[in-house]
Amino acid sequence: MPDKKLFGYGGRILRVNLSSRTVKTEPTPEKLAREYLGGRGFVAKLLWDELAPGVEPFSEGNKVVIASGPLAGLFLPGAGKIEMGTKSPATGLYGEGNMGGHLAGELKFAGYDAIIIEGVATKPCFLLIDDDKVGIRDAARYWGKGAFEAEKMLKDDLGEDFKVATIGPAGENLVVYAVVSHDFGRQVGRTGVGAVLGHKKVKAIAVRGSRGFEVADPEGVFKKGKEMYEVCFAKPGFEEWTPYGTAGVTDWINDIGAFPTKNFQTGYFEKHKQINGSALRERIHILDKGCTGCPIPCGKYSRTTYKGKTIYVEGPEYETIALMGGNLAIEAIEEVAYLNYVADELGLDTISGGSVAGFVIECLEKGVLTPAQVGRDIKWGDTEGVAWLLERIARREGIGDLLAQGVRAAAAEFGQGSERYAMHVKGLEISGYESRFAPAMMLAYMTADIGGHHNRAWAITYDAAVGQDKIEGKAWKVIELQHIRPLFDALGLCRFPWIEIGFELEHYADIFPLVTGWTSSWEDLLKISERIWNLTRCFNRREKPDFDRRDDLPPPRWLEEPLPSGAGKGKFMSPENANKMLDEYYALRGWDKNGLPTPAKLKELGLEFVLDQLPLGAGQCG
Amino acid sequence: MKLEAKEDRCSGCRTCELVCSMRHFSQPNPKRSAVRVSGAFPAPGKYSIILCDQCGACAEVCPVEAIRKVGDRWEIDPDLCTGCLLCVEECPEKAMFSHPADAVPWKCVLCGECVAYCPRQAIVDEDGEAVWAGVAAKKRARSSGR
């Protein structure tokens, strides 16, 4: 029996096999949509179903899943997020990231909810999706070009109204923290999705859609959409937050001792006012740039000149200010913007890229590496040196070949105690929050399914609210956030209206049934989010058979070294306290002491099928 | 009503395209809207807004006189229109549109929804008949003490 029409969905999944050069469309299964919504839910379920357990990230068998969500592309605040996932070459685990821009809506306007990219092409190609016309096109002339350069060329060649995602040289050269770039400044930044596309020889994906899509109650959706914008317009943060975007948080993060400084040696950077939101706004900003339907555009498009070269870049946003500013002791927003531009054009994640650069500088400082080994000396605040290093990494030249595998692999090679300078969880470099004086934030990093990333649970505000010293009572909040925030990623939404200006969650609950025609409550949707969370946890165990509590521990620096300065001076997370937090977290999640979902929990969430491949609770983990 | 684009305020979010297609075609579909946003990136980094300025050039080229002045706007009479799309080709602002799903082209009819819901107030009504929805929303929020 054919599936009923899905309201709020494009209705089709596009399957592209690069090895056989075939393209086919399949109806989006209603069961998949109801049980996993879209976005992150589709990525998790499709990777679980379709990847052979233990598949090598850089192999013909790995796939990239790109998925929009049921609320993307609509007339409502923040309807512009697209999700991309794969088995991560950075972690060997579940890999996934999302980005804004205009691809999420465009894919649905073309009639698709997801793209599954399989196999490996024999030569560089790009996917052309123009409504029903889909092709695998030659990309010889774009290969080797920068991420923005290639996007511009493709738009010039195809039409400005194509929405284009590209990879840069870092993706082509399989740097495990290569990004997928779009809209001249939006990136799927984490876990190396860009590198897997590079391995498949996919330089770009260009989409144009004119079909639009249907919603169950157009009048209701239009009325509610208007109300949602009106509520946003009336929030004080609409005017106060928007001029600075994420960069506006810099001073506060520094004040509470959480600003990564000199490769996380401390959490306080004296020169923070030279690289904060005000510096950005006053010195380099030229335009506010927003994603589909956004009332509060966080994109700060900037222009600056570095050593005679004029550059344009979207940002720097907070994470880049943290990892390529404080973390490298760069003391001018113009120079952070320049490094941001270098990384973006190369197609390198600014978070992992900044962490790797900080690691190298500290290794040089502590004598683990010599300038001869690196190819030159690089000091804190050395913008030119860092830019040079990023180029080496993206081209995999000299030491860049090893550094392209991230800090965990580099520390394993360098030895001499350098793992103490390798700031990662599960192999993914930690993003912009030094957490020795922010236990909930640390627990969020410890338990995030992709490794050291903040977006699953930005729990640092909870630390500040209830006490940065407190260990107990943090886990429930981390779990709550891990269900709410990734739900946005499943719906195709940006969470900033909620987080940054206090737009109420109930509005999304109100509009979901009007869009889909389903009666789901917000609690129902949160249950789906919990289902997805448990599935990605099981995915990690399936891909790494000894995956357990040990993989949830933070890096040695956080467990052993007291913070030397800032609001958190003297603080660190003892292994006892780290384990205490995990005990509390696992118990609240219904997981066993090793951090694995119990069969009862899986059944409660409708994940019994996991047990066919993963005999949890059968005695091998206890 | 006289629409004016303030392009330096535009963030490229395309809320105008979405509100227009919802109002006139009951679906989210920027390819069925009467306003368009395009970007020039990486340099110089700016957005352009295509708007109908109600110049009436479409009416002049229409071979069947299907486009008529109604108050301050030009409207297409779908019963008279033959769908030849000459107006779409000849529009000096590129602000006449057609779509494979529609028998006749369409143009801006000054409904004012883009003025009301552009988050950036990048489309304004110089005559002041259409206003930004944020004005009333802020007043309501203040009076309810929130």
Side-chain angles (χ1 to χ4, degrees), chain A residues 234-251:
Chain A
K235 295 282 182 195
F238 175 76
E239 272 152 21
E240 292 159 12
W241 181 82
T242 309
Y244 307 100
T246 61
V249 82
T250 307
D251 290 354

Side-chain angles (χ1 to χ4, degrees), chain B residues 113-145:
Chain B
E113 297 281 20
C114 55
V115 175
Y117 291 97
C118 170
R120 310 285 298 174
Q121 301 179 63
I123 302 174
V124 297
D125 172 20
E126 294 209 312
D127 292 340
E129 291 165 42
V131 293
W132 183 52
V135 176
K138 280 173 200 247
K139 207 172 284 173
R140 274 201 304 276
R142 267 199 304 274
S143 66
S144 69

